Amino acid sequence: MTTLLTPLSTASQWGARLRDPRYLPVTGTLVALLLILVVGQLRYSEKRSFLSMKLFSNLLVDNSYLLVLAVGMTFVIITGGIDLSVGAVVALVGLTTAKLLIGGFPLWAVLAIGVLVGAAFGTLIGVMVQYFDVQPFIASLAAMFLARGLCNVVSVESLGIKHEGFAALAAWKLKFGEGRESWSINLSMLIAFAVLVVAFVILHHTRFGRTVYGLGSGAGGNAVALMGLRAASTRVWVYVISGTCAGISGILFALYTKSGFNLTGIGMELDAIAAVVIGGALLTGGGGFVLGSATGVLVYGLLQVVIAREGLQSWWTKVLIGVVLLGFVLLQRTLSARRSRAT
Amino acid sequence: MSAPTAARAPRAAAPQPRRPSLLADLRRVTRHQLFWPVAALVVLVLACGVYSPGFLDVTIKDDHLFGQPIDILRQSVTPLLLGLGMCLVIATGGIDLSVGAVMAISLAVSLTYIDATGPGTGTALVAVAIGLVTALLIGAFNGFLVTALGIQPFIATMILMVAGRGIAMLVTEGQITTTASPAFKSIGSGFVLGVPTPVVIGAVVFVLVTVLVRRTALGMLVESIGINREASRLAGVRARGLEWSVYAICGLLAGLAGLVYGAPTMAADANNIGLMKELDAIMVVVLGGTRLDGGKFSLAGVVVGSLLLTTIERAVIIFHIPSQVTPLFKALVLIIVCLAASERLRKAVTGAVGRLVPARPQEAS
């Protein structure tokens, strides 16, 4: 499969990109996004416009942690792997952060430890996958159990975070606009955006990124190794990246909820996977885009907004996400079937 | 797992004909794929027995069997039922992540029907039938996605894992449907000839599945698909229909597990029934010595695995370890089992042993 990206610079090539078969899943995501926005604008604009900076601001406030998770998951899925531990790691990092802050540790150290906990879990999975031939699905499952078990050891009750510095970080925001139309950018959004940019550069503009695509493009990554690229260490690093993103996400989630709880993040890994798949990544590996996954997160968030606006019960979210996931998987399936027939 | 060991055994035996036969027998026993799981189970049960005298006691009250071992048997039925279906699916090289959600759906459907109709025995039977048929249909849907549409099993079943709980919530309309039906409740908490009903159900299902796959060529065909799909297709194995029915069976058994698991409480809690049970099912299969990449499978291993898992959960209580750390235990067990199954680690260990014991001259070959 020809999924290695060549950096294009001119804007005029974007039109051709959208019709390119390898970008078709992402085009589908964009269409879905626009569809939801248009339908939303038509249905929910009685009092004030549905489409507004406030909508997007709220969307990002609510989903910045998911965005970071999805970005990390994108790397893993492109190699043809999966990381099921991220939800549990988010819970563990949140709890660790809360516990350490209550214990009086300095804020910067706590945040660093939080990210490191995530990275450690990623390393564990990566080593198991690469050096002990454990399937990614199982290795990350074991890590998920491990993280949940450790959560329970830290605390089975919700720990509120009352640390002043932490509260200041959570409350910090740049305000724009006036009155009901006002919107803001908070720290979580900035962090998520920074992660997005860094991931974009790493995945699409470095040798490491090319290796990631190569690992998922067939022959179990052997082709990449034969080409002289570092297949083994890249595969470990992919999981480290995902784990680190889970660590960052855990801190963002703690900023969002201002607490740590051992039952947070159950099913969050599935949300992240769903967002990545909706964003056009192939679960067989070899295809996917950081920005596609970001779009997937927006679609996911907008679906929740629509469900809330329609007054439907929250469990409809699960059903709808399932349906959308099925739709995108089928879309991928038909596309890849057509492609393999063409070659 | 067994293929490389079988190949190694004669080569190791050949240069040392004077090896005592007792040791050879011992080697054969320890190399059996069920040796380590069974050994772990025995050690764990004995440890519990030593730590808590009376652990192994089985008493008869009102013609019914009671005691810790009976409790373990009863509780191991849910993972057993899930594991049997999962084992077949894994043997084809697939996976079914939706079993937990299927448990919730079948229980929700059955209890909602009883709630709407009444507590009679006939109603209970119809309710069971409806629940099982629903589960079968869900399994068939999974099979359709995997075989007819060619979606990766992991993804195809994940869709229902996500959506299934939502569907169960739709059935119960977001409530925890509680109802009363003595006949239905007896599925989970009754006794047949003094033996708990779930145990009887588990035993019957195990025998049925074993006869179905081992007394016919079905099991071998399933293994052939898992070992080499293309080769088995060329040999004339109709993989599609077979795989489809395996997913359907897995769904059906998950539905049954849901009914057995939920019947004692008579409450269809769509959010919590069967939560994370798919992980238990996979663990049970792995503990029983079936490799996750498909191919050879062991149904007896599933029985041992489910007993082992349930005993671990029980041991946590016996040893007064806070029950919240159970997932930690499960994680460690899973990691150890996975690492032990790893070819690389095994080679490293046998290499180290080979270097320590110079009595193996053809190491270089």
Side-chain angles (χ1 to χ4, degrees), chain A residues 145, chain B residues 37-38 40-41 44-45 48 71-73 75-83 276-288 301-317 326-327 329-331 333-334 337:
Chain A
F145 268 137
Chain B
V38 171
L41 181 60
L44 201 58
V45 168
C48 287
D71 269 2
I72 289 179
L73 277 182
Q75 276 168 16
S76 68
V77 169
T78 311
L80 173 69
L81 292 175
L82 295 176
M276 307 276 269
K277 286 289 178 203
E278 52 281 337
L279 307 181
D280 278 5
I282 295 166
M283 277 243 328
V284 159
V285 174
V286 177
L287 286 177
V302 176
V303 177
V304 177
S306 49
L307 286 174
L308 186 54
L309 184 81
T310 320
T311 314
I312 291 174
E313 283 172 354
R314 184 52 62 107
V316 166
I317 301 170
T326 316
F329 267 97
K330 288 187 185 172
V333 169
L334 193 59
V337 169

Side-chain angles (χ1 to χ4, degrees), chain B residues 243-295:
Chain B
E243 228 179 332
W244 199 327
S245 40
V246 162
Y247 279 94
I249 291 173
C250 186
L252 177 69
L253 290 181
L256 183 59
L259 299 187
V260 170
Y261 182 79
T265 58
M266 290 302 286
D269 183 354
N271 266 333
N272 291 317
I273 293 277
L275 195 64
M276 307 276 269
K277 286 289 178 203
E278 52 281 337
L279 307 181
D280 278 5
I282 295 166
M283 277 243 328
V284 159
V285 174
V286 177
L287 286 177
T290 301
R291 288 207 68 162
L292 278 162
D293 12 353

Side-chain angles (χ1 to χ4, degrees), chain A residues 227-247:
Chain A
M227 280 165 72
L229 293 169
R230 297 177 175 195
S233 68
T234 305
R235 201 186 290 281
V236 176
W237 270 107
V238 159
Y239 289 95
V240 176
I241 289 174
S242 172
T244 310
C245 282

